[in-house]
Amino acid sequence: MAEQISTPTPILYQNPTKTLTLLDIPTSIAHAQGTVDHPCNDQICASPPLQTPYPSTEPKTEKAKANVLRTKTPSDTDVGFPDALLQQALREVAEHWPLEEDWCLPRKITSLVSERQSRKRKADDAIDQVFSTQKRDSVHASTAVLPASKIETEIGLDPSPSRTEPDFKFPDSEISVRSIEEPLILSSESTPKAYTCSDIRIFTNRLVRNPYPTLLSLQCSGVKYKTPPNANFLLSKIGEPTAHAFSMAALTLYPKSSATAGPGQFDFVLLDPPWENRSVRRSARYDTMHDSDPMVVLQAMLGQHIAPGALVGCWITNKASVRDTALDAFQTWDVQLIEEWAWLKTTVGGLPITQIDGLWRKPYEVLLLGRKGSDEAQSSDSDVRRRVVVAVPDLHSRKPHLKTLIEPFIPASYRALEVFARNLTAEWWSWGDEVLKYNWDGHWYTHKGSTQIYD
């Protein structure tokens, strides 16, 4: 038998009240790919950890600072996390973490760039370029729609692996009802190791399920994706046509109530909208949305899929208008804000990557966390409970995976949904047009001797 490999925990330090956690981001993503019975022993490749803070772009004088504040419009106003809590978090981790230890675990640097390229942005660009090429060659999810039949020949696909660019596309409005009502089950006639298809459209705009309690390899036109145990995903653009398709898919998979959720409902919903901001506009790494698009669609339909008492998390930027948009959606869904979490980004030595009270760039991102129908609603902003997750950044826009952190606050047998997901999660639903991005096999380092099922 192959040697069993120990799976490290992503939590490096956590205080007794769980209000402060030092987390390793790559390990949190890898950990979420497995279960207790079938852990994921592979490592997701990462960018080199940041050694020093970014050069300061802050105004150097009080006069310059005043000029910046005068030019900011109300919509550009930042809503910050309390600086004192962030400073206290850094001090507490420093007190409990060995002085000589890095604030992250050793990383497998992506093979797509040289390990000598220590600048994080170079690694990000190389990764995104490779994945963008794959998406272009296999038809972007926002323009490809799967017809009704499961059989490739019925939709005129050439099974030849060399054919990667189809000669036809379907508009979003032609999503097939039958393709949603009949989920694609990634079953294998021999052993639950791999499912092979010739074109990504086989599972585009369709509920796809790994029915096995083990990892399964999804092979498409010679490209492999890791499908975690009992994972479900809907690879589609998020808009009005696909929102209706999602609702149908949720009711198809969950036609009956659980102990805590009704038909088609979830106990935990996590959103990571691609909010528009200056740095993303400059880099053009991924498509962004305006403050209300497609949140307007989700605001109108997602509430019916949130179970009574469910937790809802939404990552936001520090813009006041973005926060208002997220809280408006919470109100529509009858979700009351109960907590705010800050992901505080540091170097390997524990320094914030930028000035904590900076005007141009904050060294943290905020997660709003609410509960549906809760009587925990706070009377004022100061009453909202706050937690800090300290973590050394990884690839651009890749956030800490929250599965390990959120599970103590939700039912033991829960249903979870991640919207705008960029990777799959064991036993969760993932929905978005990049759900397979970080499950592409090229992002992963497989340990020799691993006993997990994956080829």
Side-chain angles (χ1 to χ4, degrees):
M1 177 180 287
E3 180 185 357
Q4 179 67 50
I5 297 172
S6 175
T7 303
T9 173
I11 298 178
L12 307 183
Y13 166 77
Q14 190 173 65
N15 65 8
T17 60
K18 294 184 171 62
T19 55
L20 172 62
T21 303
L22 177 63
L23 192 79
D24 184 71
I25 293 179
T27 307
S28 73
I29 298 172
H31 194 268
Q33 303 296 302
T35 62
V36 173
D37 294 331
H38 297 278
C40 174
N41 295 314
D42 293 349
Q43 285 180 272
I44 190 168
C45 296
S47 63
L50 199 62
Q51 300 293 324
T52 58
Y54 292 120
S56 175
T57 58
E58 293 300 310
K60 293 182 170 49
T61 65
E62 288 300 318
K63 181 178 180 181
K65 182 177 180 180
N67 288 336
V68 170
L69 293 174
R70 275 199 303 269
T71 59
K72 283 199 169 190
T73 63
S75 62
D76 288 330
T77 301
D78 288 339
V79 180
F81 199 85
D83 293 350
L85 289 181
L86 299 173
Q87 297 284 8
Q88 173 58 32
L90 293 175
R91 289 193 296 268
E92 184 175 340
V93 174
E95 289 172 3
H96 291 85
W97 194 245
L99 183 63
E100 68 279 3
E101 293 288 334
D102 289 343
W103 286 32
C104 65
L105 295 176
R107 294 181 175 182
K108 285 292 181 182
I109 307 304
T110 172
S111 61
L112 300 180
V113 296
S114 168
E115 292 193 27
R116 291 176 296 177
Q117 292 178 315
S118 60
R119 290 187 61 83
K120 176 172 172 288
R121 186 162 292 180
K122 291 181 180 179
D124 298 343
D125 292 341
I127 294 267
D128 285 346
Q129 182 179 4
V130 169
F131 189 78
S132 296
T133 300
Q134 286 194 0
K135 285 211 305 183
R136 183 181 65 247
D137 289 343
S138 56
V139 185
H140 192 281
S142 64
T143 57
V145 174
L146 182 71
S149 176
K150 296 180 183 178
I151 303 174
E152 298 175 35
T153 54
E154 290 187 10
I155 61 174
L157 295 181
D158 184 347
S160 170
S162 62
R163 178 180 173 133
T164 57
E165 186 76 66
D167 55 8
F168 61 89
K169 297 178 181 179
F170 298 92
D172 288 336
S173 59
E174 293 187 12
I175 293 176
S176 168
V177 172
R178 184 180 172 189
S179 69
I180 297 298
E181 291 180 339
E182 297 183 4
L184 177 59
I185 310 297
L186 302 180
S187 59
S188 173
E189 294 181 358
S190 53
T191 57
K193 282 189 174 183
Y195 180 93
T196 303
C197 66
S198 64
D199 195 287
I200 199 170
R201 287 175 298 173
I202 298 300
F203 47 86
T204 296
N205 285 337
R206 182 178 204 163
L207 174 61
V208 181
R209 301 186 61 196
N210 173 9
Y212 302 107
T214 54
L215 196 67
L216 181 144
S217 174
L218 174 58
Q219 303 183 36
C220 179
S221 302
V223 179
K224 290 184 180 180
Y225 300 94
K226 299 163 74 74
T227 311
N230 297 120
N232 310 283
F233 68 87
L234 182 60
L235 174 62
S236 78
K237 182 178 179 180
I238 297 175
E240 289 186 10
T242 52
H244 177 65
F246 168 81
S247 291
M248 294 175 60
L251 288 169
T252 297
L253 185 57
Y254 299 134
K256 298 180 179 179
S257 297
S258 69
T260 54
Q265 291 186 335
F266 298 87
D267 301 290
F268 176 58
V269 177
L270 177 64
L271 300 98
D272 185 14
W275 304 109
E276 189 175 40
N277 62 60
R278 286 187 298 270
S279 63
V280 173
R281 281 199 304 269
R282 286 195 301 267
S283 65
R285 286 193 181 91
Y286 56 83
D287 294 334
T288 59
M289 65 179 189
H290 298 296
D291 290 353
S292 59
D293 180 25
M295 285 296 289
V296 167
V297 173
L298 294 172
Q299 187 169 340
M301 55 73 62
L302 194 58
Q304 64 183 313
H305 297 289
I306 302 173
L311 280 179
V312 179
C314 185
W315 287 102
I316 60 171
T317 69
N318 296 312
K319 267 179 79 173
S321 59
V322 167
R323 181 185 177 89
D324 290 344
T325 298
L327 291 178
D328 285 346
F330 275 24
Q331 185 175 17
T332 301
W333 302 331
D334 189 27
V335 171
Q336 285 74 46
L337 179 67
I338 59 172
E339 296 196 7
E340 287 186 19
W341 295 12
W343 164 30
L344 178 55
K345 307 173 187 181
T346 72
T347 65
V348 291
L351 296 175
I353 63 169
T354 61
Q355 190 174 316
I356 284 181
D357 60 353
L359 292 179
W360 290 119
R361 184 177 185 181
K362 304 290 187 184
Y364 58 85
E365 296 185 43
V366 171
L367 176 81
L368 301 179
L369 194 65
R371 192 177 293 279
K372 184 166 184 176
S374 174
D375 57 4
E376 302 175 52
Q378 309 301 325
S379 59
S380 67
D381 183 67
S382 61
D383 293 330
V384 173
R385 184 163 192 174
R386 291 183 169 89
R387 304 178 196 267
V388 179
V389 179
V390 179
V392 178
D394 188 14
L395 299 177
H396 178 78
S397 80
R398 195 149 81 179
K399 292 181 172 62
H401 202 292
L402 299 181
K403 185 178 184 183
T404 303
L405 299 181
I406 206 70
E407 284 186 333
F409 303 100
I410 54 181
S413 298
Y414 67 90
R415 302 171 181 173
L417 165 69
E418 183 174 4
V419 188
F420 304 105
R422 305 181 87 189
N423 62 259
L424 305 180
T425 298
E427 301 178 333
W428 286 25
W429 271 56
S430 301
W431 180 23
D433 64 0
E434 289 189 317
V435 292
L436 295 175
K437 177 167 184 175
Y438 293 126
N439 283 82
W440 169 50
D441 187 51
H443 282 299
W444 289 84
Y445 170 80
T446 302
H447 290 280
K448 294 180 180 179
S450 172
T451 59
Q452 66 183 33
I453 298 177
Y454 180 68
D455 63 3

